Every structure is written in C-alpha cells, then in structure tokens.
Amino acid sequence: MNELTIAAMLRRAVQCSPDREIVSRNADGSLHRTTWAGIDARSRRLASALLGLGLSPGARVATLCVSHHRHLELYFAAPLAGLVLHPLNHRLHDDDIAYIATHAGDEVLVVDEAFLPLVERIRDRTPLRHVVVVAENPDPADGYEGFLAGGDPAWQPGDLDEHAVALVAFTSGTTGRPKGVEVTHRAIALHALSTSLPGYLGMRDTDVVLPVVPMFHALAWGWPYTAALLGATLVLPGNRLDPAGLLELIDGERVTLTGGVPTVWLGVLRTLDADPGAFDVSSLRMVLSGGSTAPPAMIDGFARRHGVPLVHTWGMTELLMGAVAELSADLLDADAEEQHRYRLTQGRPMPLTEIQARTDAGGLAPWDGHTPGELEIRGPWVAGSYLDAPEASAERWTGDGWFRTGDIVTIAPGGYLEITDRAKDVVKSGGEWISTPALESALMAHPAVAEAAVIGVADDRWGERPLAVVAAHCGSVVTAAELREFLGGRVARFWIPERVEFVASVPKTAVGKFDKVALRRDHVVGDGAGTHGAGT
Ligand code: ADP
C-alpha cells in the first residue's frame, strides 16, 4: 500500500489536529465553523454517496463552486473514493466551460445554486449525468445535503495507489483550446511537503491559512491539502473576494498566511491606505502574491505602511506552486537595497524541483542574473503531459522530462528566477488568462473586420488588459462600441477590450503573422493609465 495519498493527508489532520477549525463564509455573509474532524466525517460519507451513483474508478466529479467548506469536502471525498475531482472555473465563457467538461469527461457536477443558470445553458453539450446543487440555504433533506445524508457515515477509504489521478485542472494559458493536466495523489503529497518547508510557506499547525486564490483556479495552489497535512486552520472566503470582505476575515480570524493574485492585493492595499485603523492585520506573517508580477510599489507599500511582508511567488496550473521569493542565508546580511531587489524576483524553486533556462541559441543560460532563456522545470509534481492533447504536449515537454513554461527568465546565483518576458501569446488580466488568438478570431468574425490583432498592455489594476488593433474591410465602418457589443456573449466578459485602435492594415512579419513586436512598439505608448475593465 502506498502512503503518499490524500487519504493519508486527511488522516493526519483528523488524528493530530482534529479540533483545528475550518471557517467558511456562507453566501449570506455569516460564518460556518467546523473542524478537520468534521470535514473528515462528512467527506467520507460524501465519498460513499458518490460511489452510490455507480461510478467507475477514476470517473470525473466536477465542481462549479466558490471556496467554501462543502467544496473542501469534495476536494477530499472524490479522491478518497478513487474518483477524480475537477474544479471548473465559472469565470470562463460558456463554450469553454462546456468544452472543458466534455474533454475531461465529467459525469457528476456539484454546483453552487448561483451558477445553476450557467449549467442549464451548457448541460446538453456535456457528458454530465448527475447534477447536485449546493443551495444558499441548504435543506438537510434536499440537494447536496440530502445527497450527502444518503452516504454511509461509517465508510472508510480502501487502499489507494499514490500514482492514481486525484484531480484534473485546466489552464487556458497557451494558444488553442484549454488544456487539462492530471494530478496524482503523490504529486499533491510531495507538493504539500515541499512547499510547506521553512524558507517557502513554512506552514505549520499554528497557522491560520486563507487561500484567496479560488478553489476553482489552479487548485487553490494546493493549499487545502497542505493545510490538512500540517493541521492548520483554514479560512475559506466564499463568494466575497473584495478588499473589505477579505480584510474582515483577516482581522476577525487572525489570519497568519494568505495568498492570491496582485490585483486582489492592490485592492487590499488601497483599502488599508484609505483607513489604516479600520482593520487589524498584525496577525499576518506572510502574504503570497502570484499569478502575475507583483508591482514593487505594492510590496513596499505593504511592508512600510502596514508592516505586512508581501512575498512574491511563481506558479502554474501545470505544477501549482513553483517558486517563492524568501531570502536565502547569503542574503540575510546584504544591504536593504539588495534584499529588496531579490524580493522582487519570482523566487527560488521548491526543493525537489529543478529549473534551467534555455536560450534562443538552444543552449542553457548561465545562472548569472542577466542571460535570458525560456524557463524549463522538472520535478515530482510537475505534470508530464496535457490530457488527450499529444501535439500540445509534444510542444511543451522535452523528451527528457523538462516542461517548457513559456516564461522568459533570467536566473541569478542561488536559483532566483526573474520573469522578463513571455513566449506565450496571451494576456493575463486579474489572474485569469485571455487567449489573444481566440479574441482575434472573435473580432474577425465581425463582418466589417478584415484583421484584428490583440496585445497586452500594462494596467494599474488588472496587471494587463487586452488592446485590439483592428483594420476594417475596405468601405466598411465599425466603431469600438459596436465591436464591444459584438463580443458580448461571444467571449467571457473580462476579455472585452476597453481599448480598440483602428489602422489601415495590421503590420505583419516576414512570414505573414501579425507583428506583435511592432504593434507593442506602436500602440503601447501611454498605457498604464489604469483603464479598468470588466475584470475578473
Ligand atoms: P496560476 O493560476 O497559478 O497563475 P496559470 O497556469 O494560470 O497559473 O498561469 C501561469 C503563468 O502565470 C506563468 O507561466 C507566468 O506566465 C504567470 N505567472 C505566475 N506567477 C507569476 C509571477 N509571480 N510573476 C509573473 N508572472 C507570473
């Protein structure tokens, strides 16, 4: 029997930290409180209820839920039952959600009542056989609660293979259709062990952990499992990720460790700055910021004005947390300026993973802090391929196990990686991807549009926003407002560009592709003024 399993991680929580709390915000704003012992009991019962549906081993159980305690139960129940949990991201466009659910082969869906209209729109296009609804005011005899009550309270997991798939997560971070990765029990266990070490998260049972990164996105960086392994208290924010909503939880629950995307922390910083006395954030020992570059002024602002250490982290759906910018021993005596410079990097890779940067010439960049190359990474929890996508997999994995991240980095002595550019043609807005080719196709579907190219421009609030450069057909006239209206319903709301610029023709490279370098040079001047989009 293998022991690097999610069942073993939950057993550890219930045996050694049964009374540590799981605090979860309900849809009405009230707080629900349970313990690891409570999560264990309900997860096992839920696992037996899921098996009662007659699913085959490895069947996919999807969720469309915000971060709450019932979602946490599913994080354990499905893998404990030998099934595979697949959190779906409700922020995506219907077509993408339908595609992802179909590609993953989702048979069961547990859905928050708030997302039911979405499910009704896509259900016919998916293989879903069972839909279980988490009501806002749950009735014990009905919906999710009734389903769970039908399970056997004495059910215990059988032997699990640590190499079995426990989870599926999708990323739309590259061109083409969204791609899925399968995550094994073993990957989750080793990820939790490594990321929780001192010098990285340094998580322990005294921590009160608030994952702001949603449970439907990049598996909340694996934190629900890491918290179980260490017996930490877990605080789940429900449907409120706004600054005041988060600060209330941080203050009220004395949160010590939290993590999310820079857009969230920028909002929190603004709220703290506006009224420094309104919330007590002195319990925070570490705020992780990842998913996009953390602006230096934000890291400074948290440290200087509020005494909060904001730590930069780098990750990807394909590997969850990849690096953390905690200072290594040799930097502890360095002057403040040098320490600051290293804190701005994306950090050092987790123990047991290895990184390298491949230059344009095909060699490996020296770790000198200034030679750029595409970051490659390998390690026990780095995915080995995309789900049923051999061509995309062959592009991203080298024969000898290195995963090509698409991030252009320099690596400094000590392994500090710094992202300088991106090889992938995408825009990341508020922590969520916008596929530029897909947005270009949507724009070019408009009868008046001959050519449309999309580039990312820096944005104060969202990190990046898309800018569309459009050439109309000869004799046709179209306005930015008409194009925005046309895109509504065709792409996710946050994809719709605020800025549309019209040109006679879009510049091309020698091979006839849109010349994004020229477009950036010609159109990016004057951005960063803080155009705020629909966002995420
Ligand atoms: P996540 O949801 O964790 O952000 P994704 O797979 O959606 O994962 O995105 C991963 C990509 O996000 C990385 O390849 C990189 O381009 C970008 N990214 C992640 N963290 C950072 C960071 N700290 N700074 C800059 N870019 C980042």
Side-chain angles (χ1 to χ4, degrees):
M1 178 171 152
N2 295 307
E3 281 300 350
L4 295 178
T5 65
I6 288 171
M9 297 169 84
L10 182 60
R11 259 200 316 276
R12 164 82 197 179
V14 73
Q15 286 172 348
C16 297
S17 308
D19 301 327
R20 298 297 285 163
E21 271 192 321
I22 312 300
V23 184
S24 171
R25 184 153 48 200
N26 298 316
D28 67 3
S30 60
L31 295 180
H32 175 279
R33 291 177 188 276
T34 182
T35 58
W36 280 115
I39 292 291
D40 171 64
R42 281 175 52 100
S43 300
R44 286 186 292 99
R45 191 164 187 173
L46 180 61
S48 115
L50 285 168
L51 289 172
L53 294 173
L55 304 169
S56 314
R60 313 300 208 214
V61 178
T63 54
L64 258 176
C65 297
V66 296
S67 299
H68 51 54
H69 65 102
R70 295 185 176 88
H71 204 173
L72 185 69
E73 289 161 8
L74 283 149
Y75 258 58
F76 291 98
L80 256 54
L83 305 170
V84 174
L85 186 80
H86 176 206
L88 288 162
N89 183 343
H90 69 88
R91 290 173 178 164
L92 304 181
H93 186 266
D94 287 1
D95 291 346
D96 278 338
I97 300 175
Y99 170 83
I100 288 171
T102 305
H103 193 67
D106 294 337
E107 292 182 52
V108 183
L109 174 69
V110 179
V111 54
D112 282 348
E113 196 178 350
F115 303 130
L116 261 185
L118 190 167
V119 177
E120 272 146 28
R121 293 196 301 271
I122 65 162
R123 186 170 180 173
D124 291 352
R125 290 185 270 158
T126 68
L128 286 173
R129 295 199 287 137
H130 309 275
V131 174
V132 180
V133 180
V134 178
E136 289 190 2
N137 296 304
D139 176 340
D142 203 19
Y144 178 90
E145 287 301 318
F147 177 70
L148 186 146
D152 173 5
W155 185 89
Q156 291 290 345
D159 281 356
L160 291 164
D161 179 352
E162 66 187 33
H163 296 284
V165 176
L167 300 131
V168 172
F170 272 71
T171 174
S172 39
T174 46
T175 54
R177 287 294 207 169
K179 288 164 198 64
V181 287
E182 294 183 320
V183 188
T184 62
H185 284 264
R186 177 186 162 85
I188 286 291
L190 291 173
H191 175 267
L193 271 178
S194 176
T195 57
S196 60
L197 290 171
Y200 296 86
L201 294 180
M203 195 191 289
R204 51 171 302 192
D205 62 354
T206 50
D207 272 312
V208 179
V209 180
L210 167 65
V212 177
V213 56
M215 290 169 72
F216 58 74
H217 187 138
L219 305 174
W221 297 350
W223 284 18
Y225 298 116
T226 313
L229 181 67
L230 278 304
T233 292
L234 197 53
V235 180
L236 301 172
N239 59 5
R240 279 198 59 197
L241 302 183
D242 59 291
L246 294 175
L247 282 162
E248 271 167 27
L249 283 180
I250 291 168
D251 182 342
E253 300 304 316
R254 311 301 296 148
V255 168
T256 61
L257 175 63
T258 180
V261 295
T263 301
V264 164
W265 301 129
L266 280 167
V268 166
L269 181 60
R270 263 196 299 270
T271 305
L272 286 175
D273 285 347
D275 185 356
F279 298 98
D280 179 0
V281 293
S282 61
S283 56
L284 286 171
R285 68 166 181 81
M286 196 190 224
V287 174
L288 271 286
S289 176
S292 307
T293 307
M298 181 175 86
I299 298 185
D300 269 3
F302 270 104
R304 299 224 171 113
R305 299 197 289 282
H306 306 287
V308 171
L310 191 113
V311 177
H312 210 180
T313 180
W314 168 84
M316 299 183 74
T317 302
E318 291 88 338
L319 48 96
L320 307 185
M321 294 191 72
V324 172
E326 281 279 70
L327 297 184
S328 50
D330 46 341
L331 285 169
L332 292 181
D333 295 330
D335 61 37
E337 199 178 318
E338 190 170 8
Q339 288 189 348
H340 184 62
R341 207 162 53 73
Y342 277 90
R343 285 192 194 286
L344 296 181
T345 70
Q346 274 72 17
R348 299 200 300 163
M350 305 299 170
L352 296 178
T353 61
E354 292 176 84
I355 56 167
Q356 60 188 23
R358 193 164 299 277
T359 64
D360 280 347
L364 292 182
W367 288 21
D368 58 7
H370 58 82
T371 308
E374 180 178 355
L375 178 65
E376 298 180 348
I377 183 165
R378 68 178 178 190
W381 59 86
V382 179
S385 65
Y386 290 125
L387 182 64
D388 296 332
E391 276 176 31
S393 300
E395 264 172 39
R396 299 296 293 277
W397 278 270
T398 65
D400 47 359
W402 291 93
F403 169 61
R404 300 174 51 201
T405 63
D407 288 324
I408 307 299
V409 300
T410 59
I411 306 178
Y416 289 87
L417 63 96
E418 186 159 18
I419 299 187
T420 57
D421 200 356
R422 216 184 264 153
K424 18 192 192 198
D425 191 6
V426 284
V427 176
K428 201 162 201 198
S429 179
E432 299 281 354
W433 290 112
I434 297 173
S435 161
T436 49
L439 186 52
E440 288 163 0
S441 305
L443 282 161
M444 287 190 279
H446 189 285
V449 174
E451 296 174 334
V454 175
I455 52 173
V457 292
D459 183 89
D460 289 348
R461 180 165 174 199
W462 303 108
E464 263 182 331
R465 289 294 300 151
L467 178 154
V469 182
V470 172
H473 280 297
C474 207
S476 297
V477 180
V478 63
T479 65
E482 280 164 9
L483 285 178
R484 278 195 286 270
E485 198 188 324
F486 178 77
L487 290 176
R490 286 183 164 79
V491 298
R493 208 160 54 92
F494 74 94
W495 283 32
I496 299 177
E498 295 76 27
R499 280 178 67 185
V500 180
E501 295 188 2
F502 291 93
V503 291
S505 85
V506 174
K508 318 272 183 329
T509 64
V511 293
K513 290 187 182 176
F514 293 144
D515 188 346
K516 303 258 168 134
V517 175
L519 283 170
R520 281 192 198 104
R521 189 189 57 225
D522 297 345
H523 293 271
V524 171
V525 183
D527 67 73
T531 46
H532 296 163
T536 52

